[in-house]
Amino acid sequence: MAIKGLIFDLDGTLLDTLGDIHAAVNHALACLDMPCRSIGEVKSMIGDGVAKLIERALPKDALALKGDALKLFRDYYVGHMRDLSKPYEGIAEMISSLKGKYAMAVLSNKPDYAVKEIVPAYFGDAFSHAVGGREGIPLKPHPQAVATIIADWGIEPADIAIIGDGVQDIKTALAVGAMPIGVSWGFSDGQTLIDNGAEYLCYGVHELKKRLQVLNRQYLSIESDF
């Protein structure tokens, strides 16, 4: 029963990417002579993929421009996705300490091209999978993408924790029977994660690492009783 696999969200969980996403959104809006969005507004729009982000950022009477805005966002973001983004404090050290102790993957609703560049740039080869949104594959909380990772690992879903700052991550974990662990430092309200079924909510990186250690000690203790 010990946790053997960890599947992390990216934006708002491992990396603070808000500054670069905000810049790309406002670049697209400005190019279309649309009003720009505050960083707080953009923060509240993140989580369901870039198409939904752009839809939320556009004025309701300008949704016909969604395709143009999406292309402008992507063209800008490709060259600027690492201008301001950085791991949250303590994340890089935590991932390094967990490497080799768990199977680890990143699953994000961020476009796959961005995930494939960003994850190795910040974390090297720590993750066996770095997967983003792809054509024809439903985004989280649909379980298809995470089920593929779990099948590749050959680990039971009950032995996997899915860790993220979004309701999408919690619902994904529940959909496949994995442990849902929320983090409070990202783009969502922590209470919302609890209300949607997070089994644990961690308020800092050290607390997350300690939670994983405690869980595994508990499971090992249970196993030793039989």
Side-chain angles (χ1 to χ4, degrees):
M1 293 176 63
I3 297 297
K4 300 173 184 177
L6 306 175
I7 299 177
F8 291 89
D9 177 49
L10 184 59
D11 298 313
T13 300
L14 296 178
L15 297 180
D16 181 356
T17 55
L18 181 57
D20 289 327
I21 295 172
H22 178 238
V25 166
N26 279 346
H27 170 80
L29 293 173
C31 287
L32 296 171
D33 294 322
M34 296 289 115
C36 289
R37 294 288 191 169
S38 71
I39 198 161
E41 286 176 313
V42 171
K43 180 179 179 180
S44 71
M45 298 171 182
I46 294 172
D48 294 301
V50 66
K52 185 60 70 173
L53 168 63
I54 291 299
E55 180 181 310
R56 291 166 176 163
L58 283 167
K60 292 189 183 302
D61 61 356
L63 291 180
L65 297 174
K66 179 178 172 180
D68 294 334
L70 190 56
K71 184 178 187 307
L72 287 164
F73 175 96
R74 286 173 171 162
D75 289 348
Y76 179 90
Y77 194 63
V78 164
H80 298 276
M81 67 179 77
R82 290 197 281 134
D83 289 357
L84 303 172
S85 296
K86 60 183 179 180
Y88 288 101
E89 184 176 356
I91 283 288
E93 294 80 4
M94 183 192 73
I95 295 301
S96 179
S97 72
L98 297 177
K99 182 180 176 182
K101 298 177 182 176
Y102 299 89
M104 294 198 298
V106 171
L107 178 61
S108 173
N109 283 346
K110 192 182 198 75
D112 194 61
Y113 69 83
V115 175
K116 292 285 193 290
E117 175 175 331
I118 288 175
V119 171
Y122 289 104
F123 302 109
D125 62 353
F127 298 99
S128 65
H129 299 70
V131 180
R134 295 161 290 166
E135 190 72 28
I137 306 295
L139 299 176
K140 297 180 292 185
H142 194 283
Q144 182 176 341
V146 75
T148 299
I149 295 171
I150 292 172
D152 286 349
W153 283 345
I155 299 173
E156 291 298 318
D159 295 333
I160 291 169
I162 296 180
I163 301 160
D165 71 307
V167 170
Q168 301 87 350
D169 306 301
I170 304 306
K171 289 183 176 180
T172 301
L174 295 173
V176 296
M179 176 177 290
I181 298 179
V183 301
S184 69
W185 55 79
F187 303 155
S188 299
D189 173 72
Q191 186 60 48
T192 301
L193 303 183
I194 293 173
D195 292 344
N196 279 274
E199 192 158 344
Y200 300 101
L201 179 64
C202 298
Y203 292 89
V205 174
H206 177 74
E207 184 179 348
L208 172 58
K209 184 177 177 182
K210 187 174 182 63
R211 172 57 57 190
L212 295 172
Q213 293 171 338
V214 168
L215 285 169
N216 278 336
R217 282 202 298 271
Q218 288 174 343
Y219 289 143
L220 290 171
S221 175
I222 291 169
E223 288 175 359
S224 68
D225 291 339
F226 289 90

